[in-house]
Each structure stands twice: as structure tokens, then as C-alpha cells.
Amino acid sequence: MVAPRFQIAVDTLGSESPTTHIVAGARDFINANSDCVLTLIGRSRDFSGFPSNRCRVVDCPTAVPQHATLLDVLRKKSDSSLRAGLSLLANRSVHALVSTGNSGALMVLGRQIISTLPGISRPAMIKQFTRSKGSFWMLDLGANLARRQGLLSEFARIGSAYASSIGGLKDAKVALLNIGTEAHKGPQYLRDTAMELARDPHVNFVGYVEAHALFDGIADVVVTDGFTGNVVLKSIEGALGIARQHVQDALESSDDAKSESVSKQVNTSLNAQTYNGASLVGLRGVIVKCHGNTNHIGIRSALALAKHEIVAQVPQRLEAHFEQSQRLN
């Protein structure tokens, strides 16, 4: 048996999904990853059946509700499972945190408890998407709703560094999401950002990309504000669900002997839960945020992403990237 090397905390409360789904996903992951130890944060009664040498339990029955205001989060929820998980990460008791809880709470508590990396003012939510050839990353997906030139430029540099550290792309093509590719299209802050990125020697800026062309290979990193990014993300997931249902219906009505195996393949490849998990990057630690309605497949996927980011040393590489950029400036 491989000695455990990676320690990941799981905030099991504050989700829209039943805790049993989160626990089931964590159990699937730990059974398949002998080099990991999980720290399960929540109600200790929910964690029966886990191997004691591979799992630790932090009894913390208080959750941050999905509807909680940021003021409530900062002032009242001092004993929440989310705060406990972030504190473990800040103290380096774990290498990563996976949470299905309140996105706003994760953002505000993350900045309060875990400092941002040098050169980064606000962390962003980033996610990898698969296309016919390779992948691309998009940020921000909901951590920041502000639409500012300087913030988008920062996201472009974060995305470029992330694609390099976890995707091995040394000169990632970066584009701004816009309603057209022409230089005069879009609001002023987007046009100003484009001009700034075109002069940035640390970003391989290729211009604008429209939503319908996201999967065409125009860009390796797509940059947008958190509001737009979150809408795009949920639109993609909705389209995947419809496509999955149409294909499944067609296969079920077919007499082809291969339809069952094809159906299983489609069920996996077009299941948004298979790709669940977006990373909150820009802080001194690996944090993966799951959908509030995630199931066991989604939790397992998010834990796999957290492990991948630990191995890739994403925070350390981002810090080195920004330090080098500042020296060159």
C-alpha cells in the first residue's frame, strides 16, 4: 500500500445536495486513491464506514447557509465548517480544501483567512473545458461580479500562469469573451482591457472570442467577469444535459446491439458532474469549489482536481510567475 502523501479537507455542509451524496463521493475517492488522506468536516455521525487510517474527522455541525449574506458570514458564522476547512488550509494542516458551500462565503472568508498571492488583488474561479482537440480554461466563473479593466487584466495573467502550471502551455493564447470579434465591439472596459493586454509582454493576447466559438480552439484561456462567466458555465451545463438526454433517448429506441455500451459512454462524457469542480486561484492554497447540487460523481471529480493541483504545485507556480513578472517590469 502506498503511504499517504496528500491531505485534502472536505467541507461536507452548506450544500444544496444531501450530505450522503458528498460522503459517498468522498468514499469513492479515498477507495481509489491510496496516496491520499481526507479530513472530513461536518457532523461526525455522517462519516461511519471510512477507514480510520485514511480519514480524519472534524466535528463541526454548523454550516454557512446558501442564502447567508456576506455580513452574516463575516460576523456570525465563526464556527462554520467552511471556516474550519479554510483554517486547516491556512495552518497547512491539509494541502487542499474541497467545498460545496456558499460561493460568496468561500470568496470572502478565503481572502480573510488565507492571504492572496503577491501581485494578485482578488482570487478568481477557473475551470477547464474539454474540446475536440485539447482543452481551454475560463475565468472568472462567479467569484467576482465587478466589471473593471484592471481586474480582467489580472485574470488574464492568472489564467495564463494557470494554463502553464497545470496544462503545460508555455505560451497560452488568451482571449476576452465579447459579443463580437471586431475592435469596436463591447463595453468600454472591455475595449480598454484589450488595449492593455495587447501591450502586456507576459500575456499572449489574441483578441476577442464569441460564446459560440469557445470550443473552436481560438483561445486556451478565456477571460470574463464573474457574472458573465457564471451564466456561460451554467448555459454550457444546461446544453450538455439536453444533448445527453436526446442521445440517450435515441439510443434507447435503437435495436443496435452496441447501443448499451454507447449509452454508457455518452452518459459519462456528457455528464456535467464528471467535470465538476472549479478552482479558486490566487490564494496561498488549493481550493476547489463544487456546485451546490453536486452528487457523488461530482465530489469524486472535485477531489481528483484538488489532488492534481497539489501535484502540479499550482499556488507555488502562480506565485513564482507573478514574482518573475514583477522583476521584469
Side-chain angles (χ1 to χ4, degrees):
M1 181 177 176
V2 178
R5 294 189 297 140
F6 309 114
Q7 301 188 33
I8 306 173
V10 185
D11 171 20
T12 67
L13 301 180
S15 172
E16 298 170 10
S17 301
T19 302
T20 51
H21 290 186
I22 301 169
V23 171
R27 184 178 286 108
D28 287 349
F29 176 81
I30 202 67
N31 287 339
N33 292 268
S34 58
D35 54 355
C36 293
V37 170
L38 295 184
T39 297
L40 303 169
I41 308 168
R43 298 179 294 261
S44 56
R45 66 176 183 270
D46 294 329
F47 307 135
S48 60
F50 279 87
S52 58
N53 62 328
R54 302 280 309 289
C55 292
R56 298 179 297 179
V57 173
V58 175
D59 188 49
C60 188
T62 305
V64 175
Q66 288 287 335
H67 60 272
T69 67
L70 296 186
L71 190 60
D72 286 339
V73 170
L74 288 171
R75 290 186 176 180
K76 299 179 181 179
K77 299 298 179 182
S78 59
D79 58 346
S80 68
S81 58
L82 179 56
R83 186 182 285 271
L86 288 166
S87 297
L88 287 172
L89 187 59
N91 296 334
R92 299 186 180 180
S93 299
V94 296
H95 299 114
L97 170 66
V98 171
S99 176
T100 62
N102 184 304
S103 296
L106 180 62
M107 172 67 170
V108 71
L109 288 178
R111 292 183 67 198
Q112 182 188 61
I113 298 172
I114 305 172
S115 60
T116 55
L117 295 170
I120 297 176
S121 62
R122 296 180 72 87
M125 206 78 75
I126 190 169
K127 183 177 178 64
Q128 182 178 7
F129 296 86
T130 302
R131 57 195 182 204
S132 58
K133 293 183 179 179
S135 304
F136 74 94
W137 290 264
M138 184 162 60
L139 76 164
D140 179 24
L141 298 179
N144 304 274
L145 302 186
R147 298 174 176 178
R148 299 199 305 267
Q149 171 190 340
L151 202 55
L152 290 187
S153 297
E154 189 174 292
F155 292 164
R157 292 188 285 272
I158 291 174
S160 183
Y162 187 91
S164 172
S165 64
I166 205 165
L169 300 179
K170 300 303 180 184
D171 199 25
K173 296 179 292 184
V174 179
L176 289 170
L177 184 63
N178 201 351
I179 58 173
T181 58
E182 299 88 349
H184 67 278
K185 290 290 184 71
Q188 188 63 47
Y189 79 93
L190 265 186
R191 301 201 298 272
D192 291 342
T193 302
M195 293 175 62
E196 181 178 346
L197 291 178
R199 299 190 298 265
D200 191 333
H202 308 297
V203 177
N204 179 19
F205 183 59
V206 296
Y208 298 133
V209 62
E210 295 181 66
H212 69 82
L214 286 174
F215 293 85
D216 290 353
I218 295 171
D220 302 308
V221 176
V222 176
V223 178
T224 186
D225 62 89
F227 179 87
T228 305
N230 195 264
V231 170
V232 172
L233 170 64
K234 290 175 180 175
S235 298
I236 290 172
E237 292 174 344
L240 274 177
I242 293 172
R244 179 185 174 197
Q245 189 60 57
H246 282 318
V247 174
Q248 292 284 13
D249 291 345
L251 289 171
E252 287 174 7
S253 63
S254 171
D255 294 330
D256 191 335
K258 295 182 179 180
S259 62
E260 184 175 350
S261 62
V262 174
S263 178
K264 291 181 180 179
Q265 182 179 350
V266 167
N267 191 48
T268 298
S269 61
L270 294 184
N271 186 350
Q273 293 286 351
T274 304
Y275 312 102
N276 181 54
S279 305
L280 185 63
V281 290
L283 297 172
R284 294 184 182 276
V286 173
I287 299 175
V288 176
K289 169 70 173 71
C290 303
H291 273 309
N293 62 350
T294 190
N295 62 17
H296 69 287
I297 297 173
I299 292 295
R300 190 176 63 206
S301 301
L303 283 164
L305 174 59
K307 177 183 174 181
H308 187 35
E309 290 199 3
I310 297 169
V311 174
Q313 297 183 311
V314 169
Q316 296 90 331
R317 291 193 180 189
L318 285 178
E319 182 173 7
H321 176 90
F322 275 82
E323 285 180 349
Q324 182 182 26
S325 297
Q326 289 177 335
R327 285 198 300 269
L328 293 176
N329 289 337

